[in-house]
Amino acid sequence: MPGTTSGRPRIVTLATDFGSGSVYVAELKGRLLHAPPPVTLVDIGHDLPRHDVAAAAWIVAQTCFTFPPDSLHVVVVEPGVGTARRLVWARIGGQTFGAPDNGVRSLA
């Protein structure tokens, strides 16, 4: 879970296809704010093309590595919503990713 790393706030980025007006964005942020402080939430975007894993993978590859090391990137673009697909945590290039196991990290 996010928290302090190296004496500075842990950055948590969010990239979803929920839609910017979706209540799910607020629910996700609310849950993340229960993490040990300090946490800085940064919206990559919530209007990613719906269920488009390839587009999300490109956005992740273009944006996530511009953040400081040890940032956490939560990516939720999932065409199989409601299925048993598992969540994967991965450490890539000094960054941490939490995303469905659907290839969204493939370009990272």
Side-chain angles (χ1 to χ4, degrees), residues 20-91:
S20 55
S22 171
V23 68
Y24 298 125
V25 174
E27 288 180 23
L28 178 59
K29 288 180 177 184
R31 290 292 175 193
L32 288 168
L33 290 172
H34 284 276
V39 175
T40 300
L41 300 178
V42 178
D43 294 309
I44 299 292
H46 299 291
D47 293 309
L48 277 62
R50 190 155 176 76
H51 300 162
D52 189 338
V53 173
W58 184 85
I59 290 167
V60 165
Q62 292 299 304
T63 61
C64 292
F65 295 100
T66 64
F67 286 87
D70 298 320
S71 295
L72 170 62
H73 307 283
V74 177
V75 184
V76 185
V77 174
E78 175 56 271
V81 172
T83 66
R85 190 180 322 266
R86 63 191 180 122
L87 176 66
V88 173
W89 293 96
R91 183 98 172 129

Side-chain angles (χ1 to χ4, degrees), residues 1-5 8-12 38-41 70-72 96:
M1 211 47 182
T4 303
T5 174
R8 64 177 192 254
R10 177 75 181 260
I11 295 173
V12 180
V39 175
T40 300
L41 300 178
D70 298 320
S71 295
L72 170 62
T96 302

